[in-house]
Amino acid sequence: MHQKILILDYGSQVTQLIARRVREAGVFCEIHPGDVDDGFVKSQENLRGIILSGSHASAYSEDSLRVPSAVFEAGVPVLGICYGMQSMAMQLGGKVEFSEKREFGYAEVRARGHTRLLEGIEDFSTTEGYGMLKVWMSHGDKVAELPPGFKLMASTDSCPIAGMADEERGFYGVQFHPEVTHTSQGQALLSRFVHEICGCAGDWNMPDYVEEAVAAIRAQVGSDEVILGLSGGVDSSVAAALIHKAIGDQLTCVFVDHGLLRLNEAEQVMNTFGDHFGMKIIHIDATEQFMSKLAGVTDPEQKRKIIGKEFVEVFQVEAGKLANARWLAQGTIYPDVIESAGAKTGKAAAIKSHHNVGGLPDTLNLKLLEPLRELFKDEVRKLGVALGLPPAMVYRHPFPGPGLGVRILGEVKHEYAELLRRADAIFIEELRRAEDPVSGKNWYDLTSQAFAVFLPVKSVGVMGDGRTYDYVVALRAVQTSDFMTADWAELPYSLLKKVSSRIINEVRGINRVTYDVSSKPPATIEWE
């Protein structure tokens, strides 16, 4: 059993980043709502430390969540971040109050007291020799008085108590957010906490996880047969490869082609999984069925619902033909689980309900197999490589479940899908070819997500001596570390020029190419 760090979530939008940083340090962790009871905390096996997340709430508010008292009685180190620090201070005898000097964004923190947590960790030092940290703050309240037994660990000009520590008990609090990339030494701080203070060995890595996961699948499934909806996306692909390694021909994959895939994607999926891995795959070409249902529909949410509903119907028909199937496998990953987890009090609300594979009906009468439900996306990718999947497939950019259906604005038509498929393929091909001289990497790897969007408008153009009146596509490329915010990628003009020229010359029916320079927020990454 892996050593574990427990993360209690009090509603911060970046709690998942805490877990990702801990996992990157090679330590297993789990996120649970902040309103778990004392019994839950006491029941945690192999627990080595606890981290308390931030929140939009005020620790002194009567209706705010309280940290279970068992957290401070568990005999393991505790790290409070922002609200987590303030709650720790309040509940252990300190004082928290509204701050007249709020801090949002970049700040420089002076480390004090030579604590184990910050010893030797700094971004720069002042002329007086004080160690300084470049951090990200987001708070309107402050700890006004330290609890008994605590000493000052960090401060800023506007926040005298920006960090506190009771080293005898292993309790630490920081007002800033070490989990975000804006805090330069955040990973070093969290690694110090989980390794040196909590004593975790760092036994969490994907190559070793393969055999552990294979054994768990075999124990769970036994001699039963499993059916999996293979989309060609990263999650379902890695789930398929992992389950096949565990049970071989007991797995049957159903690949539904709805006519809205990328260029040659169906062939690539069948070649990789059917020919290379030797999996049993049922390939269903349901293009006409999907297109007929989408005819005349322009609302993006309605398009999503239709595509999801049709997928369920096609999948259910094929599943019904497999009389011996007892399990339905899904590529559910840990962020899906976290976002769906409801808090008992309702104060730490779920982010969204999650329905994988379009929301498959109970009438399938299949038990659920979710072998990736403990993993973040970056871990799923590493697992895929460890299983032998092609890196080019595993590290592909995200692709929406409805496929090109939500990258074609307005009504979805065969003609539009074919034009977009070809334009998108040219864009991706040129991104892979073009190398940034500074980093030495190609622009596909330097962007987090890139694609073309079909605009249902026509513009006048000139080709040769003739006038054209053809369609427009927009190119979109963004860079982001977490997909919560994103900046548009500053692609070289020479690259954009080449992509535009190729699309207009090679894709008959398109005579104008634009580039989307909107960041998220206020825009979203996808157009629909």
Side-chain angles (χ1 to χ4, degrees):
M1 180 181 293
H2 295 285
Q3 298 168 328
K4 182 196 295 183
I5 297 293
L6 173 63
I7 300 170
L8 294 183
D9 179 19
Y10 291 94
S12 168
Q13 294 187 12
V14 291
T15 300
Q16 285 191 32
L17 296 184
I18 303 173
R20 287 177 58 189
R21 301 291 175 256
V22 172
R23 297 275 186 95
E24 286 168 8
V27 176
F28 181 70
C29 62
E30 289 181 348
I31 297 176
H32 291 277
D35 60 352
V36 295
D37 57 24
D38 287 343
F40 175 84
V41 177
K42 293 175 182 177
S43 71
Q44 298 301 297
E45 296 184 35
N46 217 5
L47 182 65
R48 296 303 176 93
I50 300 172
I51 299 178
L52 311 173
S53 85
S55 174
H56 60 280
S58 294
Y60 51 76
S61 175
E62 289 186 5
D63 62 351
S64 64
L65 289 173
R66 295 291 183 264
V67 177
S69 58
V71 165
F72 304 116
E73 300 164 359
V76 298
V78 181
L79 172 63
I81 297 174
C82 196
Y83 176 91
M85 167 177 154
Q86 294 168 6
S87 291
M88 179 188 292
M90 282 270 300
Q91 293 179 229
L92 296 180
K95 183 178 179 181
V96 177
E97 60 186 30
F98 175 77
S99 177
E100 295 293 339
K101 297 179 179 179
R102 300 183 299 169
E103 288 182 305
F104 293 95
Y106 176 81
E108 293 180 355
V109 169
R110 175 183 167 185
R112 295 174 181 266
H114 302 289
T115 61
R116 288 182 68 195
L117 185 65
L118 297 183
E119 186 73 45
I121 297 177
E122 64 179 50
D123 286 300
F124 66 96
S125 58
T126 65
T127 53
E128 297 86 1
Y130 301 138
M132 303 293 291
L133 295 169
K134 298 177 180 179
V135 305
W136 189 70
M137 291 276 200
S138 180
H139 68 102
D141 297 330
K142 66 180 181 181
V143 175
E145 292 180 14
L146 291 170
F150 281 77
K151 67 178 180 180
L152 182 64
M153 183 172 67
S155 64
T156 70
D157 291 340
S158 57
C159 184
I161 304 177
M164 63 182 196
D166 178 343
E167 300 211 90
E168 189 173 326
R169 290 185 285 180
F171 294 167
Y172 298 86
V174 291
Q175 188 59 67
F176 55 90
H177 287 266
E179 68 272 30
V180 301
T181 55
H182 304 72
T183 297
S184 304
Q185 299 294 329
Q187 183 66 58
L189 186 154
L190 288 169
S191 294
R192 170 75 58 79
F193 178 72
V194 299
H195 288 305
E196 298 181 28
I197 295 174
C198 296
C200 295
D203 61 352
W204 178 256
N205 64 80
M206 289 306 100
D208 290 348
Y209 181 73
V210 171
E211 294 309 318
E212 180 182 327
V214 163
I217 292 168
R218 287 173 179 164
Q220 187 175 2
V221 172
S223 59
D224 294 342
E225 292 193 15
V226 178
I227 183 172
L228 179 145
L230 181 62
S231 68
V234 174
D235 300 337
S236 69
S237 296
V238 175
L242 180 61
I243 296 168
H244 184 258
K245 182 176 178 65
I247 61 174
D249 283 349
Q250 291 170 242
L251 170 69
T252 299
C253 296
V254 176
F255 176 60
V256 179
D257 183 352
H258 46 33
L260 298 168
L261 299 173
R262 289 166 283 199
L263 189 67
N264 300 324
E265 187 159 20
E267 293 87 343
Q268 291 171 2
V269 169
M270 295 304 295
N271 288 340
T272 299
F273 293 96
D275 298 342
H276 180 68
F277 282 95
M279 294 186 194
K280 292 194 297 185
I281 304 180
I282 300 171
H283 181 192
I284 308 298
D285 185 351
T287 300
E288 294 305 322
Q289 178 177 337
F290 278 84
M291 289 297 182
S292 64
K293 296 290 185 179
L294 289 166
V297 178
T298 59
D299 178 71
E301 193 58 32
Q302 189 64 21
K303 288 193 290 185
R304 288 179 183 273
K305 289 179 179 177
I306 289 171
I307 293 169
K309 179 175 179 291
E310 291 306 308
F311 180 89
V312 170
E313 290 191 5
V314 174
F315 187 88
Q316 191 167 15
V317 168
E318 295 306 317
K321 298 176 183 177
L322 301 171
N324 297 321
R326 298 289 179 268
W327 296 84
L328 168 67
Q330 294 187 162
T332 308
I333 63 175
Y334 199 39
D336 304 330
V337 177
I338 297 167
E339 290 171 350
S340 301
K344 290 182 292 183
T345 62
K347 294 177 183 175
I351 298 170
K352 65 180 179 182
S353 60
H354 176 75
H355 304 285
N356 214 322
V357 199
L360 292 169
D362 294 336
T363 51
L364 280 173
N365 295 316
L366 298 174
K367 293 177 285 187
L368 204 56
L369 177 63
E370 298 174 315
L372 309 180
R373 63 179 286 113
E374 290 187 334
L375 306 183
F376 285 100
K377 177 71 84 173
D378 53 335
E379 294 173 320
V380 171
R381 294 186 194 277
K382 291 175 184 175
L383 179 61
V385 172
L387 288 164
L389 287 173
M393 169 180 280
V394 172
Y395 284 96
R396 279 198 309 182
H397 290 177
F399 189 62
L404 301 182
V406 290
R407 292 180 179 173
I408 297 170
L409 303 195
E411 184 180 5
V412 177
K413 295 182 179 180
H414 275 292
E415 174 197 359
Y416 299 167
E418 190 54 35
L419 291 174
L420 179 57
R421 234 189 303 276
R422 292 163 60 199
D424 184 78
I426 290 171
F427 185 29
I428 299 304
E429 182 179 309
E430 292 301 332
L431 285 173
R432 290 190 184 278
R433 284 180 178 174
E435 186 176 288
D436 171 44
V438 176
S439 66
K441 296 181 179 179
N442 67 60
W443 276 100
Y444 184 84
D445 291 337
L446 289 171
T447 54
S448 307
Q449 193 167 353
F451 53 91
V453 178
F454 181 86
L455 309 183
V457 294
K458 286 188 172 183
S459 73
V460 174
V462 177
M463 297 189 77
D465 295 324
R467 175 184 182 274
T468 62
Y469 190 55
D470 289 325
Y471 290 106
V472 181
V473 293
L475 306 179
R476 179 76 158 143
V478 299
Q479 294 173 316
T480 176
S481 61
D482 53 23
F483 289 89
M484 296 177 184
T485 62
D487 292 322
W488 59 275
E490 297 184 29
L491 300 179
Y493 289 152
S494 57
L495 171 57
L496 291 172
K497 181 179 181 180
K498 186 171 186 180
V499 173
S500 174
S501 176
R502 280 197 60 194
I503 290 174
I504 291 170
N505 281 289
E506 296 176 30
V507 185
R508 188 178 297 274
I510 296 174
N511 71 353
R512 193 176 296 271
V513 176
T514 66
Y515 188 54
D516 181 352
V517 293
S518 310
S519 293
K520 175 188 179 181
T524 54
I525 294 175
E526 296 283 351
W527 278 44
E528 285 194 341

